[in-house]
Amino acid sequence: MENFQISGSAGVRHGVLRSLNLRSEEVERTVLMFLVYTLTSVGLIWLELSTVGLFLDEFGADKMPWIYIASAFIGSGLGFVYSWLQKILPLRRTVVVVLGMMSVPLFLFRFGIGYENTKIAGISIAFITIFLMWLWVEACYVLNDLNTSITSNQLFNIREIKRTYPLVSSGYLVAGVVSGFSLPVLLRVVGLQNVTLISGLMVATGSVLLYYLTEKYSQAFPETAHWTDDDEDDDQEEFTARKVTGPLQKYAVPLVSFFILAEVVYVLVDFQFYSQLEYQNPGDGASWIASFLGIYEGIQGLFQVATQWFASSRLVERIGVFVTAMILPAGIAILGVLTIGASLGQLVSVFIGLILLRFLDELLHYTLLETVSPVLFQPIPDNIRSGIQTLVNGVGEPLSTGVTGVGILIMLWVTGTILPQQDEEVFHDQQSLIFIGVIVILALLWVFVVWLIRSQYVGLLVKSAERGRLGVTDVDLKALKRAVVETLQKPGGEDEKRSCIELLTQIDPKNVGEVLAPLLDSLSPGLQRQSLETMLQHPNPAYLEAVRALSQQSLPPEVLALALRYIWLTEAEPNIESLRPYLQPTVDPVVRGTAAALIMRRGDRLQKAEATNTLRQMLTHKQERERVMGTRALGEADYLQGLRLYIPNLLQDESLRVRCALLDVISSTHSEEYYPSLLRGLGYKSTREAALQAIVKLHNDAIPLLVYLAEDIHKSDLVRLQAWTALGQIGTAEAIDILVSNLMTAWGTTRRNILRILLKMPSEAGIEGVLDRIGRSGLETLIEQELMFIGQIYAGLVDLSGVTTYGNLSGGANSTGAHGDDTAQLLQRALAGLEADAKERCFLLMKFLYPLDTVQAAAFNIASGQPSLLARGLEILDNTVDIARKRSLINLLDQNSEREKLSNLSELMVYKPLAPSDRLRRLLELRHFLSDWALACCFHLAREARWSLTAQQTLVCLQHPTGFVREAVLAYLKIASPRALVELLPRLQNDPDNLVSAQVEEMMAELGAGGKR
């Protein structure tokens, strides 16, 4: 019963994690980061709403533009401070210090709020304090978002953050709900002026929790300060060398305008909302404003959370990115016009209209706009994308806020001049209507900018597809289809059109006919063939008439054959008689073979006999092309029937093309009796590629055959590699299960091959498969295994480093020749090779956790051997890797001696110095981890040094599948135990390796170990 309860709770937990798209090892970090962001955001929202109440009550909304102007300089200043802190402090200290610094002024502000009558240079201390409070709130929002983003990027790798950051970032939305509804209660309990103390306490609590988080996961942060000045100079030079020109420039300008207009409209709506709120004050002062804002923030937060969690991504998928991007500006324009009309008609007050405007802006600004923003940057190449995003978020938005503040001041002066002086409330409403009119105009301009982005987006998609830069995720599918249609319809190079079809096929293969079928008539024969091949992967009757119309035209044989096949597969009741004319000998073999194969599928007895006779003639024809096309046609027939008799002869056909085509036939018809021919085909260079493709077509049916072949240690490494490669190309869940399970148990070359295959699988299916099955902890375990093995290698290099002469070991003066010294060096070089292989596997394993290009850059710099490049490579790892054994890994890759590296690996293995002979026996105990050459070198060194090895080590290695290892063991036995060798030699006479069998014959003749049996 207890086990059932445990199992049930585990199942519930797994279901919850799956619904949240989290893995168990990510839960703690995600929850802690969510709490940190939520706590600090609650404190900041309390402070912001209280500050707004105090500011509006004491000084009025007409002073707010100065806040906007001043805040424009806050972003760049704080960015400089943040960068400076990273130069003098380690990053895990910087993030905590920044959060702690955010809380300190909040406690100090309390002492300046009550001094309305005390002035400095004619300005009251209270005004200065509240003004600084509002600026500090804006600064804290920037710092908090920056801190959260940087800390999350350190705690989670590039693949984890896609799942975890949406949950972490939703902490702000949750904080809006909590702080909004709790603020009225807080005001009653502590009073408005004391809210700053509570806010400071919340932010300080968040900093304490962040300190705990950074200490617990200290390995996720670099130990040293940030990049050196030299690195920054190099990076700056590299960035400035990149220029945005041509189509990219045409796209970047409206893209930047999109975000600037979004910020300008947001600031204008925000200003007018607070301006109207000031005039709605019933007389209760700042507390009423703060309480109202709290309830408003809470209700709005509920809608934001619901929209972000349940609507944003689904809406983008359903209506497309650009329609989604137009919702906010179009909604603001429509609502603004309605507000103006309703206010002039005295149906609704301006205040109600502005409440609705701000609610809509806040709701969609932080939900839909945040969702579509990354997609808009997608067509920009990776090497300049971050620069454009920095330009938009770091320069464009803060600058636009300041410029908007100046614009508001100008508009206030102009409206105050041109509007007639009358009742203050009427004047204020008229002024607000003018602002709303400006907002409507800017919103319409915003919609136009979205349209411009869409048109340039289409062009860049085509260019990106042509150059192979565009990925297959996070793109607007509807825009992509429009781009393909426009590209295929206009005159242009065929390569560009071909790349568009390939990209569309990769992104949306099931619905590719929707785009291609209407265009078939206008395409070139080459593109018609590519389109039909793509459509045949997912044949759909909806496009039957378009293909039928194409088949009635004059077409090249290859295109006509594809069209006939598509019609046959999609037509409910195909007309077999219409195919019979294509069986005539005068018809091209491609079309003739296709027609015969299709008739054999669904024709009657006589029709099948006629088709079979046609194929028989083709298979026995003297011309190679006839035999090739006849053989290919066999793969399209459901039943080979009497034609099966020709397969043995075709397998021996003199034409390589025929033999390769037959391998595909065996796969297509699932002829199990000929599956061994597919496996044999992997062993020959001429048929390897064809055999691999044929095996992959079998999908899961081929897995048992491939596993048997891959795990057969007597097969060559090349053949076993082909078997693993086939499993990777099959790519099903079952195939990935096999690869991952063998990854955990295999070693050396096999593990390296499996790692490379998994990394090369499309759409990161292999990477996600490994993470789903063994997780981050499993990968860290594999890295620790490699580090422990490297430790054993270093122990061998250290203990065997003094082996240069063997006179004192063998007892003979003649045994100290150079040959023994060379043997020791051979083993040392073999061990050094094993060290390099293990390091390579470590880098391959890290690619499952971190960006491929980052790990590759680190590996390249470290492998260079140059001190400056090595230092850069180690720093890249220090700033990227967050595994528990990061320090050991980095010290191991540094230029230290073997003894120093052994001491750095003390947490994983304890090094005890051993005598050279004992160390050699210890290495042989690890024989399963050694390469074949290193194993052979161990026996050669034991022979030269006259060191004794255990009988088990010797006998086991005598059965090794590699010939030169058995050869080395025999040479050792000849010196160490001639009597045992005499008994073993007769059993080795028929060794499959010619060199070993020759060695056995020579030893038998020399030792007189009996004759042949």
Side-chain angles (χ1 to χ4, degrees):
M1 184 66 180
E2 183 180 354
N3 292 336
F4 176 79
Q5 291 176 347
I6 294 175
S7 176
S9 61
V12 171
R13 183 173 184 269
H14 178 73
V16 172
L17 293 179
R18 188 170 182 177
S19 65
L20 294 174
N21 195 24
L22 280 181
R23 295 193 174 102
S24 58
E25 56 207 6
E26 301 162 355
V27 171
E28 184 177 25
R29 286 171 289 161
T30 304
V31 170
L32 288 174
M33 273 305 302
F34 175 82
L35 290 176
V36 170
Y37 195 37
T38 303
L39 286 173
T40 53
S41 297
V42 167
L44 292 178
I45 293 173
W46 280 344
L47 180 65
E48 178 192 18
L49 300 182
S50 304
T51 303
V52 170
L54 289 169
F55 191 94
L56 294 180
D57 183 60
E58 296 289 338
F59 313 111
D62 57 334
K63 303 295 192 302
M64 285 180 60
W66 296 105
I67 296 288
Y68 300 138
I69 295 171
S71 65
F73 301 97
I74 293 295
S76 57
L78 291 177
F80 173 78
V81 172
Y82 207 107
S83 177
W84 173 73
L85 281 175
Q86 290 185 64
K87 292 181 180 179
I88 63 174
L89 293 174
L91 186 57
R92 65 191 178 99
R93 301 292 182 218
T94 300
V95 294
V96 177
V97 167
V98 166
L99 206 56
M101 288 171 52
M102 285 168 50
S103 65
V104 173
L106 305 187
F107 296 103
L108 302 178
F109 286 144
R110 172 64 186 87
F111 301 103
I113 293 177
Y115 292 91
E116 291 88 354
N117 298 324
T118 306
K119 298 184 177 181
I120 299 177
I123 304 175
S124 69
I125 294 178
F127 175 80
I128 296 174
T129 301
I130 296 173
F131 187 84
L132 290 176
M133 282 173 62
W134 198 328
L135 283 182
W136 189 246
V137 168
E138 297 295 327
C140 286
Y141 276 132
V142 174
L143 286 175
N144 195 30
D145 291 343
L146 185 61
N147 222 40
T148 302
S149 176
I150 289 177
T151 307
S152 297
N153 279 319
Q154 292 297 137
L155 287 172
F156 306 103
N157 62 49
I158 189 69
R159 295 176 183 87
E160 293 172 337
I161 206 165
K162 292 178 182 179
R163 292 185 300 273
T164 59
Y165 195 69
L167 294 174
V168 173
S169 61
S170 66
Y172 176 77
L173 302 179
V174 175
V177 177
V178 174
S179 59
F181 288 123
S182 61
L183 183 59
V185 179
L186 188 67
L187 293 175
R188 289 181 176 273
V189 175
V190 301
L192 181 62
Q193 294 181 341
N194 294 318
V195 170
T196 59
L197 299 177
I198 306 301
S199 298
L201 184 62
M202 293 293 288
V203 177
T205 304
S207 65
V208 172
L209 190 59
L210 184 61
Y211 174 78
Y212 165 77
L213 183 60
T214 56
E215 285 296 314
K216 183 168 185 178
Y217 295 96
S218 59
Q219 73 273 8
F221 298 86
E223 291 292 330
T224 57
H226 208 254
W227 309 93
T228 63
D229 293 336
D230 292 338
D231 293 330
E232 288 181 352
D233 293 340
D234 293 342
D235 293 341
Q236 185 65 25
E237 290 177 5
E238 182 184 1
F239 176 76
T240 54
R242 302 168 183 156
K243 295 181 179 179
V244 181
T245 57
L248 280 177
Q249 187 177 34
K250 293 180 181 179
Y251 183 76
V253 171
L255 181 64
V256 174
S257 302
F258 174 88
F259 290 97
I260 288 177
L261 283 170
E263 189 67 19
V264 170
V265 171
Y266 179 83
V267 171
L268 287 174
V269 172
D270 193 61
F271 169 72
Q272 275 304 301
F273 172 77
Y274 287 133
S275 180
Q276 280 289 329
L277 185 62
E278 175 193 356
Y279 284 89
Q280 301 300 321
N281 192 339
D284 295 338
S287 295
W288 179 86
I289 295 176
S291 298
F292 173 84
L293 289 175
I295 300 298
Y296 175 87
E297 187 75 25
I299 296 172
Q300 179 179 268
L302 286 175
F303 280 88
Q304 284 179 325
V305 171
T307 304
Q308 183 70 4
W309 286 0
F310 305 111
S312 294
S313 59
R314 293 177 175 85
L315 194 62
V316 172
E317 292 176 1
R318 185 174 296 272
I319 66 175
V321 170
F322 295 104
V323 177
T324 305
M326 289 182 181
I327 290 177
L328 177 55
I332 289 176
I334 294 171
L335 195 56
V337 171
L338 293 176
T339 299
I340 294 174
S343 300
L344 293 176
Q346 296 184 350
L347 300 175
V348 177
S349 67
V350 178
F351 179 57
I352 298 299
L354 280 168
I355 288 179
L356 296 176
L357 263 178
R358 189 174 188 269
F359 185 87
L360 178 69
D361 196 14
E362 287 271 347
L363 174 64
L364 301 184
H365 193 95
Y366 292 105
T367 53
L368 294 186
L369 203 62
E370 293 294 329
T371 301
V372 303
S373 294
V375 184
L376 297 179
F377 288 101
Q378 182 68 21
I380 300 176
D382 294 340
N383 60 335
I384 61 173
R385 185 182 303 159
S386 60
I388 299 293
Q389 287 180 292
T390 302
L391 177 68
V392 170
N393 300 323
V395 179
E397 290 181 353
L399 185 62
S400 61
T401 301
V403 172
T404 305
V406 175
I408 291 174
L409 289 176
I410 295 174
M411 287 183 64
L412 290 175
W413 177 78
V414 171
T415 55
T417 303
I418 63 174
L419 289 177
Q421 300 298 322
Q422 50 190 330
D423 179 76
E424 184 176 359
E425 184 176 351
V426 174
F427 170 79
H428 190 265
D429 286 346
Q430 291 178 347
Q431 190 180 59
S432 293
L433 291 177
I434 293 175
F435 271 91
I436 293 174
V438 173
I439 290 170
V440 170
I441 294 173
L442 290 174
L444 293 174
L445 179 61
W446 190 0
V447 172
F448 176 70
V449 166
V450 174
W451 180 84
L452 283 179
I453 292 175
R454 178 213 163 272
S455 62
Q456 297 300 324
Y457 183 94
V458 166
L460 274 183
L461 281 174
V462 175
K463 294 294 182 184
S464 299
E466 180 184 0
R467 297 170 187 172
R469 286 197 315 254
L470 189 62
V472 297
T473 57
D474 298 330
V475 296
D476 185 3
L477 191 56
K478 293 185 177 180
L480 177 61
K481 290 182 177 180
R482 285 193 297 267
V484 171
V485 172
E486 293 175 11
T487 305
L488 295 178
Q489 288 178 338
K490 69 181 182 182
E494 189 163 318
D495 290 340
E496 181 180 358
K497 297 179 179 181
R498 187 179 301 277
S499 61
C500 285
I501 296 175
E502 290 174 354
L503 180 63
L504 182 61
T505 303
Q506 192 175 5
I507 294 177
D508 192 21
K510 294 184 179 180
N511 300 311
V512 69
E514 177 185 350
V515 175
L516 298 179
L519 303 173
L520 285 174
D521 290 339
S522 60
L523 298 178
S524 66
L527 294 177
Q528 287 175 340
R529 179 177 180 178
Q530 181 188 11
S531 300
L532 286 172
E533 288 175 345
T534 301
M535 293 168 63
L536 277 167
Q537 296 176 7
H538 299 280
N540 190 332
Y543 317 121
L544 172 61
E545 294 306 319
V547 179
R548 191 194 304 277
L550 178 68
S551 68
Q552 295 172 359
Q553 301 177 9
S554 177
L555 300 173
E558 292 79 4
V559 179
L560 178 58
L562 292 170
L564 292 176
R565 188 178 301 124
Y566 191 91
I567 293 171
W568 185 267
L569 292 175
T570 55
E571 199 169 27
E573 296 181 0
N575 183 8
I576 297 177
E577 289 298 322
S578 64
L579 294 176
R580 292 187 67 186
Y582 296 112
L583 299 181
Q584 300 301 320
T586 56
V587 177
D588 188 276
V590 177
V591 180
R592 194 182 340 136
T594 299
L598 295 178
I599 291 175
M600 287 183 64
R601 286 190 172 191
R602 296 172 65 178
D604 58 30
R605 185 174 179 181
L606 293 177
Q607 292 166 340
K608 287 183 178 181
E610 185 177 1
T612 301
N613 186 56
T614 300
L615 288 179
R616 182 182 294 111
Q617 294 174 1
M618 295 179 68
L619 294 175
T620 57
H621 204 280
K622 293 181 179 180
Q623 293 185 8
E624 181 194 36
R625 190 165 185 267
E626 290 276 350
R627 298 199 307 277
V628 171
M629 296 307 165
T631 303
R632 289 181 180 174
L634 293 179
E636 302 172 14
D638 283 343
Y639 304 101
L640 297 181
Q641 299 174 352
L643 297 175
R644 190 180 299 271
L645 298 174
Y646 293 91
I647 291 182
N649 291 333
L650 293 173
L651 284 172
Q652 304 297 325
D653 195 281
E654 61 182 11
S655 169
L656 175 62
R657 295 175 62 199
V658 172
R659 298 198 303 272
C660 290
L662 187 60
L663 295 177
D664 184 71
V665 171
I666 294 172
S667 173
S668 299
T669 58
H670 292 268
S671 302
E672 297 183 8
E673 65 270 30
Y674 294 108
Y675 283 176
S677 298
L678 298 180
L679 299 182
R680 284 195 298 271
L682 293 175
Y684 301 99
K685 183 178 180 181
S686 58
T687 57
R688 183 171 297 136
E689 186 63 29
L692 183 63
Q693 293 178 2
I695 290 174
V696 171
K697 284 178 63 176
L698 291 173
H699 297 291
N700 288 347
D701 291 345
I703 290 179
L705 299 172
L706 293 172
V707 171
Y708 174 78
L709 185 63
E711 295 179 350
D712 187 353
I713 60 175
H714 297 283
K715 297 294 183 181
S716 67
D717 288 340
L718 181 59
V719 172
R720 297 176 67 193
L721 171 60
Q722 297 304 314
W724 294 123
T725 302
L727 284 169
Q729 292 186 11
I730 290 172
T732 60
E734 293 80 3
I736 296 177
D737 284 338
I738 296 295
L739 289 170
V740 175
S741 62
N742 279 273
L743 175 65
M744 301 296 292
T745 57
W747 194 261
T749 303
T750 301
R751 174 177 283 187
R752 182 195 63 192
N753 290 339
I754 294 175
L755 288 172
R756 288 177 175 175
I757 289 166
L758 287 167
L759 288 170
K760 289 180 181 178
M761 292 180 69
S763 304
E764 296 189 346
I767 295 174
E768 293 300 325
V770 170
L771 292 173
D772 287 337
R773 287 160 177 81
I774 64 175
R776 178 191 180 93
S777 58
L779 287 167
E780 290 197 29
T781 300
L782 294 179
I783 294 176
E784 290 180 5
Q785 288 178 1
E786 300 290 350
L787 295 179
M788 288 188 286
F789 177 61
I790 293 175
Q792 294 293 339
I793 293 173
Y794 289 149
L797 290 172
V798 169
D799 290 343
L800 296 173
S801 60
V803 180
T804 55
T805 140
Y806 307 102
N808 57 334
L809 296 171
S810 61
N814 296 328
S815 63
T816 61
H819 185 61
D821 187 35
D822 289 342
T823 305
Q825 291 178 3
L826 283 176
L827 178 57
Q828 290 172 358
R829 285 198 293 269
L831 292 177
L834 291 176
E835 175 198 2
D837 291 342
K839 289 180 179 178
E840 181 188 2
R841 292 193 294 272
C842 286
F843 280 110
L844 289 173
L845 287 165
M846 284 188 283
K847 288 181 179 180
F848 286 85
L849 297 173
Y850 312 106
L852 302 179
D853 54 349
T854 303
V855 177
Q856 191 63 36
F860 175 79
N861 283 280
I862 291 172
S864 67
Q866 300 181 24
S868 59
L869 294 180
L870 174 65
R872 173 169 293 190
L874 294 177
E875 188 167 3
I876 291 174
L877 286 185
D878 192 18
N879 286 272
T880 303
V881 175
D882 59 351
I883 60 176
R885 305 298 181 185
K886 180 173 77 171
R887 287 295 108 205
S888 298
L889 175 64
I890 291 178
N891 290 328
L892 181 145
L893 296 171
D894 205 351
Q895 289 181 328
N896 299 320
S897 66
E898 282 83 4
R899 290 188 181 274
E900 290 174 326
K901 293 178 180 179
L902 272 173
S903 64
N904 291 325
L905 292 171
S906 57
E907 294 181 358
L908 292 171
M909 60 162 286
V910 179
Y911 166 66
K912 294 181 180 179
L914 297 176
S917 59
D918 292 335
R919 179 55 63 187
L920 187 70
R921 283 188 285 272
R922 173 60 180 155
L923 286 175
L924 285 175
E925 291 177 7
L926 302 172
R927 57 187 174 273
H928 298 293
F929 304 99
L930 300 182
S931 66
D932 297 347
W933 176 239
L935 194 57
C937 288
C938 288
F939 282 94
H940 284 307
L941 179 57
R943 175 175 59 86
E944 293 294 331
R946 302 298 198 272
W947 291 339
S948 62
L949 304 176
T950 66
Q952 181 186 12
Q953 292 172 346
T954 306
L955 293 175
V956 169
C957 291
L958 193 59
Q959 301 173 4
H960 198 278
T962 304
F964 61 76
V965 175
R966 301 195 299 274
E967 198 176 352
V969 177
L970 288 173
Y972 164 76
L973 283 174
K974 182 178 178 182
I975 300 297
S977 182
R979 182 178 301 175
L981 182 61
V982 170
E983 297 178 1
L984 292 171
L985 284 176
R987 307 176 187 175
L988 302 173
Q989 282 183 284
N990 298 320
D991 193 279
D993 190 293
N994 293 331
L995 292 177
V996 177
S997 61
Q999 181 187 26
V1000 170
E1001 292 293 337
E1002 181 181 350
M1003 287 182 173
M1004 290 180 66
E1006 183 179 346
L1007 299 175
K1012 280 189 178 182
R1013 291 186 296 174

